[in-house]
Amino acid sequence: NSRTHVLITDWREAKPCLQVMQDSGQRERPETMIILCDLPKSHENAVSWAAKQDVSKCKLHVLLESPNKEHFQEIKDLLEGCYQSMSRKRPVLLPSAPGPLAEPDAARSSSDRNSKVTIASD
């Protein structure tokens, strides 16, 4: 299967999640794992741990949660990058019968609308 997955987890669950993926030998793994840390010391430990991992099968991104919620923008940027990567791997399918999506301009504007990722916070 060529589906692209992204796993967003906190630091406490990152190591067990990666271990399960490695032990299971699954072919389908997340393309990217985003690890959120709530404390600077946790962030430091997660960065150190991530630097020692084999990232050829799953890219690791470690983010420190910020009081201003700036980490949401970083997550959004990473998800958009994953979406762009996924879009290059999969062809765009257009309907065979003529219709609004069969028009090249309509298809382009439709895909442009769908390329945006929105993350809302409280």
Side-chain angles (χ1 to χ4, degrees), residues 83 101 106-117:
Y83 177 81
L101 289 180
R108 184 173 51 249
S109 63
S110 173
S111 67
D112 290 346
R113 277 194 307 271
N114 294 332
S115 68
K116 302 296 181 206
V117 176

Side-chain angles (χ1 to χ4, degrees), residues 8-41:
I8 301 175
T9 186
D10 66 354
W11 171 230
R12 289 179 298 274
E13 298 299 325
K15 290 164 74 174
C17 286
L18 193 60
Q19 189 63 50
V20 165
M21 287 186 285
Q22 290 170 341
D23 291 348
S24 71
Q26 289 180 330
R27 293 183 321 155
E28 238 183 85
R29 295 182 180 178
E31 179 175 301
T32 298
M33 181 188 294
I34 300 172
I35 304 165
L36 298 174
C37 302
D38 56 353
L39 300 171
K41 183 63 178 169

Side-chain angles (χ1 to χ4, degrees), residues 3 14 24-25 36 39-40 43 59-60 63 70 90 96 104 107 120:
R3 292 177 21 188
S24 71
L36 298 174
L39 300 171
H43 181 259
K59 297 177 198 113
L60 303 175
L63 304 178
E70 293 167 350
R90 286 199 213 167
S96 58

Side-chain angles (χ1 to χ4, degrees), residues 53-67:
Q53 303 308 307
D54 175 12
V55 294
S56 64
K57 295 179 180 158
C58 179
K59 297 177 198 113
L60 303 175
H61 298 276
V62 181
L63 304 178
L64 179 61
E65 293 179 25
S66 65

Side-chain angles (χ1 to χ4, degrees), residues 91-106:
V92 175
L93 301 177
L94 297 175
S96 58
L101 289 180
E103 302 296 323
D105 291 337

